[in-house]
Amino acid sequence: MPPIICSSALQAVALIEDNETLWTHSMGATPKILLDALAEHALTRKNLTLLQLHTEHAESLSHPRLKGHLRHRCFFGGVPTRTLLQQGDADYVPIFLSEVPKLFRSGEQAIDTAIIQVSPPDKHGICSLGISVEATLAACQMARRIIAHINPMMPRTHGDGFIHYHKLAAVYEQSVPLPQHPLAASDATSLAIGQHVAKLVRDGDCLQMGIGAIPDAVLACLTEHKDLGVHTELFSDGVLNLVELGVINNSRKKVYPGKLVTGFALGSQRLYDFVDDNPSVIFMDIEQVNDTSIIRKNPNVMAINSALQVDISGQICADSLGTRIYSGVGGQMDFIRGAGLSEGGRSVIALPSTAANGTVSRIATVLSPGAGVVTTRAHVHYIATEYGVANLRGKSLRERARALIDIAHPKFREQLCIEAFEMWQLRV
């Protein structure tokens, strides 16, 4: 049965009724036009729940007037939801990114309506989820109803992200540019961290990394490497530069050799043009991309991630500032564990040594009260700041404290040494 063809976004979301649980396509595929319409429609409804990962430009759904009409349930926080989460006006669900699709497919988390953004149907009637497959494929498979924004500017990507036009309940078509995240400008700190991390990368490594100034700086330092591969939950323009130089060719991978594997992409229009109808890039279900048992099959996996705070025992906080939720668990542990089990695999947490304009050390004696331990001290391998790299694999608490204090900002090192003894009885 073909979908209802709607003349407005508001008409499309008008199918949503009271007490529904909704899923929204996330990242660069966030269906902003439909979500803006939902912000209006929700005022006529009550008790809607919106499940989501990180969303782009969806601030309209965070307006105070929606209280009582719509509540966010976040597997990952972002700009549109961060204030609501920290005020207690939205809900945060700590969960590994790899397990979000499982939550849907098992029925543990029911979904009434999936709200998505897709490419126009091809001659076979098949649309593409485009630059963001993540958990949205699973949501579409399990939802009772799918409402889609058909966007001719959405790239048609290869991999898992296909959905037949007749599976859609309602569609609204409009051509609009996708959110763009150009390469971050490298400051001196990011560049120094990038240089340290790049020294850990070997020819033939299979990379996982995020987006932002530090990952971009790392990638910019890899131009002389050879035969790198990519199996990552997300990638951006820094990867594209290395593909064009021939540095990334995926030739040594055992899982999808010759293919760049990802769950979503976020970057410039140049990046979106690159992935459009490109069979060398496959966008996969995040349950597969982030599956530790699949990640480990590639040799020499190099997982590069970030953190908000690290304590001197090696515990990594990546989702909160104390009790204030900032982002989410994401795929950090999926890849750190997968890299640890990979033959020749390694992982690194890369972060600036300070925060708050240099007034706070990110390497702390103990984590802030309420801080979420995303990566345990038993899983951590390398930690890098602009002052160097600490290898914590197989090290004692005393050895860890010494190594981490050595890469802390110099102005905090003496105090960290004092507190290491006072709090941990560690003589460093």
Side-chain angles (χ1 to χ4, degrees), residues 32 34 42 73 93 120 138 155 185-186 223 258 289 322 346 351 364 377 383:
K32 180 183 186 303
L34 293 179
R73 187 173 178 85
V93 181
S186 285
T223 55
V289 176
R346 286 142 291 128
L351 74 166
R377 54 194 176 203
I383 308 283

Side-chain angles (χ1 to χ4, degrees), residues 78-212:
V79 173
T81 56
R82 197 167 285 147
T83 299
L84 293 175
L85 287 166
Q86 294 175 0
Q87 290 174 346
D89 291 325
D91 297 308
Y92 169 56
V93 181
I95 188 170
F96 296 137
L97 185 54
S98 61
E99 294 190 345
V100 177
K102 296 178 182 178
L103 203 65
F104 302 160
R105 290 183 173 121
S106 68
E108 292 173 84
Q109 175 61 70
I111 299 172
D112 296 299
T113 299
I115 305 170
I116 64 174
Q117 183 176 189
V118 297
S119 69
D122 64 10
K123 63 182 181 181
H124 305 291
I126 296 173
C127 303
S128 168
L129 292 172
I131 59 171
S132 197
V133 172
E134 19 87 12
T136 293
L137 179 69
C140 288
Q141 290 169 344
M142 302 306 296
R144 293 193 298 109
R145 177 197 303 122
I146 304 170
I147 298 172
H149 167 203
I150 294 179
N151 186 357
M153 296 188 73
M154 174 65 79
R156 180 179 177 77
T157 59
H158 290 244
D160 291 338
F162 294 117
I163 181 167
H164 200 282
Y165 182 72
H166 284 185
K167 295 282 188 183
L168 309 176
V171 299
Y172 170 68
E173 182 166 349
Q174 184 179 338
S175 185
V176 293
L178 298 172
Q180 295 190 26
H181 279 248
L183 275 172
S186 285
D187 54 35
T189 298
S190 298
L191 189 57
I193 296 170
Q195 290 169 340
H196 290 310
V197 174
K199 291 175 184 176
L200 300 175
V201 179
R202 302 186 294 235
D203 289 347
D205 277 355
C206 181
L207 304 179
Q208 173 264 325
M209 80 300 294
I211 62 173

Side-chain angles (χ1 to χ4, degrees), residues 166-392:
H166 284 185
K167 295 282 188 183
L168 309 176
V171 299
Y172 170 68
E173 182 166 349
Q174 184 179 338
S175 185
V176 293
L178 298 172
Q180 295 190 26
H181 279 248
L183 275 172
S186 285
D187 54 35
T189 298
S190 298
L191 189 57
I193 296 170
Q195 290 169 340
H196 290 310
V197 174
K199 291 175 184 176
L200 300 175
V201 179
R202 302 186 294 235
D203 289 347
D205 277 355
C206 181
L207 304 179
Q208 173 264 325
M209 80 300 294
I211 62 173
I214 291 175
D216 287 345
V218 174
L219 292 164
C221 294
L222 298 178
T223 55
E224 300 302 314
H225 281 65
K226 297 177 181 177
D227 298 334
L228 297 180
V230 173
H231 181 113
T232 185
E233 67 185 47
L234 74 156
F235 80 101
S236 61
D237 287 69
V239 165
L240 177 54
N241 292 339
L242 294 180
V243 171
E244 291 178 343
L245 287 170
V247 172
I248 291 174
N249 58 25
N250 299 291
S251 62
R252 299 198 199 176
K253 290 169 58 180
K254 290 186 177 179
V255 180
Y256 297 105
K259 307 283 188 181
L260 191 160
V261 174
T262 190
F264 54 98
L266 192 58
S268 68
Q269 188 59 46
R270 173 171 160 258
L271 179 71
Y272 301 153
D273 291 341
F274 172 74
V275 302
D276 184 36
D277 197 26
N278 186 343
S280 71
V281 184
I282 50 177
F283 286 74
M284 297 186 64
D285 185 332
I286 213 69
E287 184 177 340
Q288 300 295 312
V289 176
N290 285 38
D291 186 330
T292 297
S293 67
I294 293 175
I295 295 166
R296 69 179 297 182
K297 290 179 181 177
N298 280 315
N300 302 307
V301 172
M302 180 61 177
I304 303 166
N305 289 280
S306 60
L308 296 170
Q309 189 181 41
V310 181
D311 77 11
I312 59 169
S313 76
Q315 295 187 112
I316 306 297
C317 171
D319 67 347
S320 69
L321 301 167
T323 57
R324 292 183 298 139
I325 300 303
Y326 186 82
S327 54
V329 171
Q332 182 172 124
M333 266 300 301
D334 294 331
F335 275 94
I336 285 181
R337 189 59 181 149
L341 294 170
S342 159
E343 182 181 350
R346 286 142 291 128
S347 66
V348 58
I349 298 291
L351 74 166
S353 64
T354 64
N357 295 317
T359 61
V360 176
S361 176
R362 288 180 184 260
I363 295 175
T365 315
V366 292
L367 296 179
S368 300
V373 177
V374 168
T375 295
T376 77
R377 54 194 176 203
H379 288 101
V380 73
H381 190 173
Y382 293 105
I383 308 283
T385 72
E386 68 269 33
Y387 293 102
V389 177
N391 182 0
L392 305 190

Side-chain angles (χ1 to χ4, degrees), residues 56-70:
E56 290 280 320
H57 308 312
E59 285 82 358
S60 62
L61 284 171
S62 300
H63 198 282
R65 67 183 180 180
L66 287 170
K67 194 169 185 177
H69 297 281
L70 182 144

